[in-house]
Amino acid sequence: MGLTRSIEQSMVPQLPPQVPLVGSVFLLLVSLAVYAGLQYHRRGHKSELLAFISLLIALSLWVLTNIFVDTVTSVELKLLGYNVTNTVLVWVSFYSLLWFALAYSESTRWINRWTVGFAVGTVVVTSTTGILAPEYMYEVNGLATKGPLTVLGVTFEEWVVLDRSLKWPFRLLQVFSYTVMLASAAILVRYLLRNKSDLYTGQAAA
């Protein structure tokens, strides 16, 4: 009887204070993705728009998974959400950002079967490892309680978070993600600096 009650309690969703804000971000990303999709069809299926749509969809799923992690109250479901984020969505998001930078800067020659194969391979390897060893990125120590907290007159009762310690594979993922993000930014800045006169001319013509 006690075990049944414990299982039922672990399936009851919660509402931490960050969920309404994160939910607003999710709706904004979905709206931008829909708008970008309309522009993609109107402007002749440009590759940079397709890459931007891919980035928005990946970020939307990332945020949605964070909402899932925040609202569930069991160790297993929270760990599942973190693994989906860190073994799939993080990779897809940063690779989409790099794709957008390359497409926008007209450097699509770098997008070939070797680079795409490497990108797909990293997702397959990390996601498979996450399935076989769910705690390979972090050491899980159960649940920790936070709150209560009052925000703008609204009181949020106690909520639980996953108590975890990060391991070196997660740190490695962070370093690689930041590297891809910085490389994408460098590609875009370099392109904009090289073509700033053309951009100014285009803006003046518009």
Side-chain angles (χ1 to χ4, degrees):
M1 190 71 176
L3 178 61
T4 302
R5 182 177 301 175
S6 176
I7 294 175
E8 290 176 350
Q9 289 176 347
S10 69
M11 297 301 292
V12 176
Q14 60 183 2
L15 183 64
Q18 67 271 22
V19 168
L21 177 60
V22 177
S24 300
V25 173
F26 171 73
L27 293 177
L28 176 61
L29 289 170
V30 171
S31 300
L32 288 173
V34 172
Y35 177 76
L38 294 174
Q39 294 301 312
Y40 176 73
H41 287 288
R42 289 174 182 172
R43 297 189 179 186
H45 298 176
K46 293 185 177 181
S47 59
E48 60 267 27
L49 274 175
L50 183 60
F52 187 59
I53 294 169
S54 174
L55 174 61
L56 289 173
I57 292 175
L59 291 175
S60 299
L61 292 175
W62 188 343
V63 172
L64 185 62
T65 306
N66 284 341
I67 294 175
F68 172 79
V69 169
D70 287 336
T71 53
V72 297
T73 54
S74 73
V75 172
E76 294 78 12
L77 291 178
K78 285 183 178 294
L79 182 58
L80 173 63
Y82 278 121
N83 279 336
V84 169
T85 297
N86 293 316
T87 64
V88 179
L89 298 179
V90 167
W91 293 106
V92 176
S93 297
F94 284 106
Y95 284 144
S96 295
L97 176 61
L98 182 58
W99 177 19
F100 170 74
L102 292 171
Y104 186 82
S105 62
E106 301 175 353
S107 302
T108 52
R109 66 184 182 278
W110 293 102
I111 304 175
N112 52 56
R113 62 177 181 175
W114 300 107
T115 54
V116 172
F118 176 80
V120 173
T122 53
V123 176
V124 171
V125 170
T126 55
S127 59
T128 302
T129 306
I131 293 173
L132 298 177
E135 295 186 32
Y136 84 102
M137 282 195 180
Y138 5 74
E139 180 182 347
V140 177
N141 305 306
L143 298 173
T145 303
K146 303 286 185 180
L149 180 67
T150 300
V151 180
L152 299 176
V154 178
T155 300
F156 294 86
E157 300 299 331
E158 290 184 346
W159 68 94
V160 294
V161 298
L162 191 65
D163 185 5
R164 55 186 180 135
S165 302
L166 305 180
K167 295 180 180 179
W168 69 264
F170 184 88
R171 302 297 186 189
L172 187 62
L173 171 64
Q174 281 185 313
V175 171
F176 187 83
S177 299
Y178 292 146
T179 301
V180 174
M181 181 173 62
L182 291 174
S184 302
I187 291 169
L188 288 172
V189 170
R190 180 171 175 267
Y191 175 78
L192 293 174
L193 290 176
R194 284 189 170 186
N195 298 273
K196 58 183 178 181
S197 59
D198 294 336
L199 293 174
Y200 293 148
T201 302
Q203 289 177 351

